[in-house]
Structures are given as structure tokens and as C-alpha cells.
Amino acid sequence: MSNLEVRTRFAPSPTGYMHVGNLRTALYAYLLAKSKNGKFILRIEDTDQGRYIEGAIDVIYRTLSETGLKWDEGPDIGGDYGPYIQSQRKHIYKEYAEKLVELGGAYYCFCDKERLESLKQELGAEKSGYKYDGHCRNLSREEIEENLKKGIPYVIRQKIPQEGITTFTDAVYGTISVENSTLDDNVLLKSDGLPTYNFANVVDDHLMGITHVIRGSEYLSSTPKYNLLYESFGWEPPIYIHVPPVMKTANKKLSKREGDASYEDFINKGYLKEAIINYIALLGWSPGNDREIYSLEELIQVFDIKGINKSPAIFDIQKLDWLNGEYIRKLPLDQFHEKALPYYKEVIKNPNVNLYKLSQLLSTRIAKFSDIPDMIGFIETLPDYSTELHIHKKMKTNKEIALANLKAALPVFESITVWNEENIHNAIFELIGKLGVKNGQMLWPIRVALSGKESSPGGGIELAEVLGKEETINRIRIGIEKLEKEM
């Protein structure tokens, strides 16, 4: 297999939700293929029609496209091994299931739902793992043909050897051996003619020339059955690479039902796609050094399956926030501004606010774009703040000093004709020099009067430019009135 072109696949079910763990599987499959100059294949596994959600395939296309995980073959672009949607390959699975019966690796099962349900109850399926009892395993050819002629519904089950051990090697977990007697004769082809996942993925992986299968470690227990299918057909199995789960805590998996975020949720919360990909790459994989920031191209250069860890990966939202903040700070200001505008518009209705200046203040101060509304609420509406905020030991200011300096600053603000940061700065610092006061004794009261907050993105001069002349003067007057009421 070492001389073959590396071919990996991502085979999601169209359930309308791109779980972080699924996206990580896609990423690893993409990185492995590209790091070996191979092919990355997209296949849609929609045999479980009960879970199909309209528009879900578009979610898959959009997510992979946005994150840069460009597939070389797939439903939309074709390839030499199509169709790439399982429901369109129904005839293929039936053909191979019947061939497997002939090879002795599978058999027809005519048991109805009532018998199977009764069997589950007899075996106490709730208490111990249910296994089919092999009732149809040894039907004669005549019995099978008679049942088929009568049109009795059937499934095709895998004929697991009743003795011996099945062993396989996983690139992450090493050699694993399983007693065949513990394995169930699972259904391969359902009565509606559609395959189960267990059968379809083996047939498709073989026919599509998949050399490396990357999937979650929850499939480790099913892999012996897959290997037995490969063995029955006389096919060479792929290299298995099972990756650890992504966990919310040490004892709890990330879950859609628990409201854990999908890729789209993170995008809607204002995370950058580059940061998401960078972060999930490091969930359960290490490049072998302490470096934490990688572009997709850089990940391709350093990716090696030897870096995949056996231990579950804990999703640390604070770490993602930090990483996302690093990416935001690298954005050109125009790009930051464009991404920030929708968040400004949620809060700010005043047309005189200098939003571009606001972007200059915020671009180094946020972890994600959804932080913005809470940080800028004071710009639209001045909070009803306490004058106690004017007391600041480090700035050597109190209410009396604040009142005097705001009164002195008001006519200076009113006199500025061209309203920009440079002119505001020059005028206020000229006033500071004229009065002989410390910088903080002037700038802190202005900042409090303009923001009504103990902390704000930017100081008084910067906030003045953001708010515009009219609103700045209005807020300085309000500040003076508040202080005068207490004197």
C-alpha cells in the first residue's frame, strides 16, 4: 500500500449540523491526504433516511468550502468512483451483499420484527448486549429460494465466525484483538434494500480506493467486523486511524442535544474560521512542539498521524477565545471593520458615531466579535453612572477636581472646528498645560463623563472622536450637572 496514492475520505451524514468532532475528522483526513500529495474525497452517507434533513448537504459543502478543506472528488464535482452519495449506490450494495452470501461471509435472514423483539426480551437485552441468535444462519439453499419466491421480507446478515480471534492494527491505538464469539451477526442489507452504515462504508471505501480511514474511536469496536468483511471479499483493508473523542469535560462528550456549538454556531458567535480550524487541529493532535498558531497550509506541512493522541481532547473555550483574539489582532483594520459592522449596528443607531475609529479601538481588545455589543452599549446610551467613578487614586483626581476640569474642558470642546483625534488631543493638552494640572486629572474625568464606565475601549480623547462633537459636549454637560448636584 505504501506505493499507492494516498486517498482519504470524509463521509458525513446529512443531519444539518457540523459537529466540532466531525469537522476535526474532516480536517485530519484532508491534512493527511494533502501532506502526502494525495486525494481528499467527500462522500455523503445518507442511508439512514430517517435522519436526513433538507438542506443538510449544503451545510456540509459550505462548511468545508469556508474552512478551505477542498475536496478532490465528491457529489458536486464528480470523479472516477461515483456516485458519491450512498442512496444513489443502492444497486451496488445489493450486488455486493449477494456476492458476500455466495462467498460464505453473509446469509439471508427472514426473521420478522415480532420474533426479533421476542428474542430481545428473552435475552434481557436491556441488561446485557443483545445478539442475534443465528436462527437463519444455516438455512438450506432450498429453504432460502422458497422464502424468496414467496416474497418474504429479508435482510442480509454478516456471518461472523463463531470461533477464533480477529486482530487489526490501528495507527493510534496499536494492535487490538477481539474474540469472534463476542461479535453479533449484524444486518448488512436492510429489508428496504439500503445498506447499513457498517456495510456501505466497507464497500465504498474499497471501491473508491480509500487507503487511510480516519474516524472517531467510537468505531474501534466495529472495526473487527469491517476487517472480517474485507477478509471475506479478499480485499486489503485500509490503514485505520481512530481519533479520540472531543469532550466537554473529562466525563462528558460534546453534544448537539446539550446545546454544544457547531461550526456555524461558532461563526455566528464571531469566531474566525481560521482560528476554529487552527484550534480543532490541536484537539487531540500535537505537532511535537509548543507552537500553537498555524495556517492551514502550515498544518499540511507539519501534519503527521504520529502526533495523534489516544487520550480524549477537552474542548477549552477559553483557549479558543485566546487563539481567536490572536487571529483578530492580525486582521487588517479594513477587514476587522467590515466584520465588526453588523455588531455595531445591533447597538448603535446614532449616525454621528465614528464607527471606523471605534474599530481602531476594539481591534486589539476583543476575543470574538460577539463581545462587541456589550462593550459598546455606552456609546449609544450613556449609563446612569455614579460620580464616585471620578475618584481615582492613581490619577490623583476626586469629584472637586473632576468638576473644575470638566468645566474648563467644555468651552475647549465647543471651540474645536475640525473634529478629529489630533485636534482634540492638541486642544486638551494645551488646556492641561495652561491649567498646570496632571494629565490624568483632566483625562480621567473626561473618560468617565463620556463613557459612564470604570473601563472603556480607549481614553477620553479617543472616545470623544468616536462620539462626535455634539454627543461629546452633551455628555460633558451631563457630567458637570451630576457633580454640581453633589457639591
Side-chain angles (χ1 to χ4, degrees), residues 389-392 395 397 439-449 453-455:
L389 289 179
H390 285 294
I391 302 171
H392 198 298
M395 298 295 178
T397 183
N439 292 352
Q441 291 177 312
M442 177 65 70
L443 299 177
W444 183 255
I446 291 174
R447 181 176 186 157
V448 169
K453 295 166 71 73
E454 192 169 0
S455 63

Side-chain angles (χ1 to χ4, degrees), residues 9 49 54 69 75 101 118 130 162 179 182 189 224 261 312-313 316 353 357 373 407 457 476 487:
R9 49 77 165 174
Q49 293 289 300
E54 195 68 37
L69 306 187
V101 172
S118 172
Y130 162 74
Q162 294 175 313
E179 296 275 351
T182 64
L189 197 74
D316 183 348
V353 171
K357 176 63 183 179
K407 280 185 171 181
I476 294 294
M487 296 300 168

Side-chain angles (χ1 to χ4, degrees), residues 70 86 249 279 471:
K70 190 175 185 329
Q86 284 188 335
T249 65
Y279 180 67
E471 184 64 18

Side-chain angles (χ1 to χ4, degrees), residues 134-328:
H135 179 72
C136 294
R137 189 179 171 107
N138 297 309
L139 291 177
S140 67
R141 182 179 292 274
E142 292 73 27
E143 288 175 296
I144 292 168
E145 287 178 358
E146 184 67 24
N147 287 340
L148 291 175
K149 278 181 187 175
K150 289 179 181 177
I152 297 174
Y154 67 87
V155 299
I156 293 180
R157 290 182 180 273
Q158 185 172 4
K159 198 169 194 175
I160 301 284
Q162 294 175 313
E163 296 176 349
I165 293 173
T166 295
T167 298
F168 71 96
T169 300
D170 180 76
V172 176
Y173 290 86
T175 300
I176 296 174
S177 297
V178 177
E179 296 275 351
N180 291 334
S181 59
T182 64
L183 303 176
D184 190 14
D185 287 0
N186 287 125
V187 172
L188 302 179
L189 197 74
K190 296 178 281 189
S191 57
D192 61 4
L194 283 171
T196 57
Y197 169 83
N198 288 340
F199 187 55
N201 89 83
V202 167
V203 172
D204 287 345
D205 285 345
H206 172 73
L207 295 180
M208 292 182 182
I210 303 303
T211 60
H212 297 70
V213 170
I214 298 183
R215 59 183 170 226
S217 59
E218 65 270 23
Y219 291 105
L220 271 171
S221 61
S222 300
T223 302
K225 300 174 195 172
Y226 303 154
N227 258 27
L228 287 168
L229 287 172
Y230 281 103
E231 194 176 295
S232 296
F233 278 118
W235 298 339
E236 183 179 357
I239 293 171
Y240 297 116
I241 305 158
H242 288 85
V243 296
V246 179
M247 307 289 283
K248 189 172 188 173
T249 65
N251 302 309
K252 196 171 190 180
K253 280 188 177 182
L254 285 177
S255 163
K256 178 183 177 183
R257 291 175 187 169
E258 296 282 332
D260 293 320
S262 68
Y263 167 79
E264 284 193 324
D265 291 332
F266 281 117
I267 292 297
N268 292 336
K269 287 178 181 178
Y271 291 89
L272 296 175
K273 61 190 179 187
E274 295 86 357
I276 297 170
I277 284 293
N278 189 160
Y279 180 67
I280 66 171
L282 301 172
L283 278 176
W285 171 80
S286 169
N289 56 43
D290 295 331
R291 183 177 167 186
E292 294 183 292
I293 298 180
Y294 287 91
S295 68
L296 187 58
E297 282 303 314
E298 289 169 334
L299 285 169
I300 291 171
Q301 299 304 316
V302 299
F303 187 77
D304 191 320
I305 57 176
K306 291 176 183 174
I308 298 174
N309 202 317
K310 292 180 186 178
S311 304
I314 306 296
F315 194 95
D316 183 348
I317 193 69
Q318 291 178 325
K319 185 67 175 288
L320 175 59
D321 283 353
W322 169 80
L323 190 61
N324 198 64
E326 293 294 308
Y327 273 87
I328 285 177

Side-chain angles (χ1 to χ4, degrees), residues 66-85:
E66 281 183 12
T67 53
L69 306 187
K70 190 175 185 329
W71 54 101
D72 299 292
E73 300 169 25
D76 57 333
I77 59 175
D80 295 336
Y81 301 89
Y84 293 88
I85 296 180

Side-chain angles (χ1 to χ4, degrees), residues 463-483:
L463 293 180
E465 185 182 16
V466 169
L467 290 166
K469 183 174 180 177
E470 183 181 342
E471 184 64 18
T472 295
I473 290 169
N474 181 47
R475 292 190 181 194
I476 294 294
R477 285 175 176 158
I478 290 171
I480 291 169
E481 288 172 12
K482 275 179 169 286
L483 287 163

